[in-house]
Amino acid sequence: MTRRTPTGAAVLQPTVTQAITEAVLDELAEQGYARLSMEAVAKRAGVGKSALYRRWSSKQEMAISVISEFSMEQVTVPDTGSLRGDLRAALDTLMKWLTHPRFSRIMPDLVAEVARNPELGEAVETLVGMPKRERVAAMFQRAIDRGELPQDTDLELALDLLAAPLYWRLVVRSAEPDPAYMDNLTDALLRSLTNPS
Amino acid sequence: MTRRTPTGAAVLQPTVTQAITEAVLDELAEQGYARLSMEAVAKRAGVGKSALYRRWSSKQEMAISVISEFSMEQVTVPDTGSLRGDLRAALDTLMKWLTHPRFSRIMPDLVAEVARNPELGEAVETLVGMPKRERVAAMFQRAIDRGELPQDTDLELALDLLAAPLYWRLVVRSAEPDPAYMDNLTDALLRSLTNPS
DNA sequence: TATGGACGATACGGTACCGTCCCATCGAGA
DNA sequence: TCTCGATGGGACGGTACCGTATCGTCCATA
């Protein structure tokens, strides 16, 4: 009943897995989620289709697995000591994220596909949305502790105000990342958060 | 050389065209742009594939044509007399737009597809983005004329701040349209636009 | 040195489409 | 009444995939 562990070269090779992962991400960026093809992935990775099905049992499983593991360089939100500095740093980080050649091309497809694919939605939310929101929430909490923001600051709204404009501009409207725009956006954010109604 | 106009029943029937258009939009909402299929459209419209190819020469042409004509009920931005009133009304209108059962399901796909399909991008920009932005810009201009906003208000930024948060929340994060959220968003927008830096 | 499963390659049956073509039928206007 | 092209239906060749199966080869460890 108990299978002894395989020996010798008879074990999944990490370099092959890596090549496949890269190919999936490239194909995803190039063709989109709906047009992802096992044959194209295998060809691009220089690998037999067998290598794919030895690791995952279906296309959907492979795609979700690869996307889940795609974390990118850790996105940090530095503690600059002031809300303005933190805000600007967070915006810069977010912009780097949204202009990352791979991520920026894959993200819109995922957003569209998630509406039809709850399983994919889970993967995206858990590994892209959640950790990021937590870090930014911590940033706002620091500002509250410093007295720069009122105790009853609406964190949900603050998070949206921070992330939405850049996403809208870079991804939806695909406009260029004007540096002056970033300054104006930072100012506008500060005003909307700190001034009394 | 000159073909005389056809007579009798030998003319494209508007009711058939309408049925096809509806079917395309339904399929687009259900399956997405990449998975749109001529066979499915014909079946859904209760129509032969011939009827499709009699009107358009390819799938791409059909899709773009239908999307271009899909205008929705005219989106108006009422003149309430105050910036706050106009802002809130514009947000309500935008929300109605983004929760419209058909539009909200088609939009994310278009955003994703536009990155790979410049021709489609043109259609979307011309018939969805542009007219809407013009109307909102007029709204801001009224506020400037009334003295509620400074002369040098950054209209580009203002437009982004208005549209982005709702799009982000409703489409990208697919959260619920909390009514209190709308009030807080209105306040935040007012602060970011009107208070001095 | 023997082993056992991963490896690339490829054939396979099955399904889903695209775009073309042909058909018999229909019906509003000349 | 006659005309002529639109109509729904569907066969067709061609392509692209999915997921399975079957090769002979390779190789790190027991």
Side-chain angles (χ1 to χ4, degrees), chain B residues 108-128:
Chain B
D109 267 297
L110 296 187
V111 170
E113 192 66 19
V114 155
R116 285 177 211 99
N117 195 331
E119 207 176 337
L120 177 63
E122 248 174 85
V124 171
E125 172 60 15
T126 310
L127 294 146
V128 177

Side-chain angles (χ1 to χ4, degrees), chain B:
Chain B
M1 231 52 201
T2 47
R3 284 188 93 50
R4 58 199 179 76
T5 53
T7 66
V11 80
L12 292 176
Q13 302 216 342
T15 85
V16 172
T17 305
Q18 185 56 29
I20 296 174
T21 301
E22 293 295 309
V24 169
L25 292 174
D26 283 345
E27 282 292 312
L28 232 36
E30 211 167 272
Q31 303 290 337
Y33 191 96
R35 282 188 259 261
L36 185 66
S37 130
M38 296 302 260
E39 249 125 17
V41 168
K43 189 172 183 182
R44 180 165 219 144
V47 143
K49 269 206 294 179
S50 347
L52 272 52
Y53 284 100
R54 239 172 253 126
R55 286 165 174 78
W56 304 280
S57 65
S58 71
K59 186 168 81 161
Q60 157 102 344
E61 197 184 303
M62 179 189 77
I64 290 187
S65 157
V66 168
I67 290 168
S68 295
E69 241 121 84
F70 176 49
S71 57
M72 301 208 342
E73 319 79 69
Q74 199 53 287
V75 178
T76 56
V77 179
D79 184 350
T80 66
S82 78
L83 176 56
R84 168 175 233 109
D86 281 7
L87 270 184
R88 183 51 198 254
L91 284 177
D92 283 341
T93 300
L94 180 57
M95 184 162 99
K96 221 175 290 171
W97 221 37
L98 292 179
T99 52
H100 181 288
R102 226 176 218 169
F103 180 83
S104 63
R105 305 206 55 178
I106 292 179
M107 182 68 178
D109 267 297
L110 296 187
V111 170
E113 192 66 19
V114 155
R116 285 177 211 99
N117 195 331
E119 207 176 337
L120 177 63
E122 248 174 85
V124 171
E125 172 60 15
T126 310
L127 294 146
V128 177
M130 223 181 56
K132 194 161 178 48
R133 271 206 295 286
E134 265 168 27
R135 273 194 290 275
V136 180
M139 178 191 87
F140 283 127
Q141 192 56 54
R142 287 200 301 270
I144 294 177
D145 294 344
R146 280 193 304 263
E148 287 191 85
L149 287 181
Q151 288 283 347
D152 65 344
T153 296
D154 184 341
L155 280 187
E156 273 299 304
L157 180 60
L159 284 164
D160 287 359
L161 288 177
L162 177 68
L166 274 188
Y167 184 87
W168 172 260
R169 191 167 191 81
L170 293 175
V171 177
V172 180
R173 296 196 40 218
S174 57
E176 80 297 344
D178 186 341
Y181 181 87
M182 299 289 286
D183 289 332
N184 294 340
L185 178 55
T186 309
D187 289 340
L189 279 179
L190 264 178
R191 286 199 297 275
S192 74
L193 291 171
T194 60
N195 284 320
S197 350

Side-chain angles (χ1 to χ4, degrees), chain A residues 17-74:
Chain A
T17 304
Q18 185 56 30
I20 297 174
T21 301
E22 292 295 309
V24 169
L25 291 174
D26 283 345
E27 283 291 312
L28 231 36
E30 213 167 89
Q31 304 290 336
Y33 191 97
R35 283 188 257 260
L36 185 66
S37 129
M38 297 301 261
E39 249 124 17
V41 167
K43 190 172 181 180
R44 181 166 217 142
V47 144
K49 269 207 297 181
S50 348
L52 273 51
Y53 284 99
R54 239 171 253 128
R55 288 166 173 77
W56 304 280
S57 65
S58 71
K59 187 168 79 160
Q60 156 102 346
E61 197 184 303
M62 178 188 76
I64 289 186
S65 156
V66 168
I67 290 168
S68 294
E69 240 121 84
F70 177 48
S71 56
M72 301 209 341
E73 321 78 69
Q74 201 52 287

Side-chain angles (χ1 to χ4, degrees), chain A residues 60-104:
Chain A
Q60 156 102 346
E61 197 184 303
M62 178 188 76
I64 289 186
S65 156
V66 168
I67 290 168
S68 294
E69 240 121 84
F70 177 48
S71 56
M72 301 209 341
E73 321 78 69
Q74 201 52 287
V75 177
T76 56
V77 179
D79 184 352
T80 67
S82 78
L83 176 56
R84 169 174 231 109
D86 281 6
L87 269 184
R88 183 52 198 255
L91 284 176
D92 282 341
T93 300
L94 180 57
M95 182 163 100
K96 221 175 290 171
W97 219 38
L98 292 179
T99 53
H100 182 287
R102 225 177 220 168
F103 180 82
S104 63

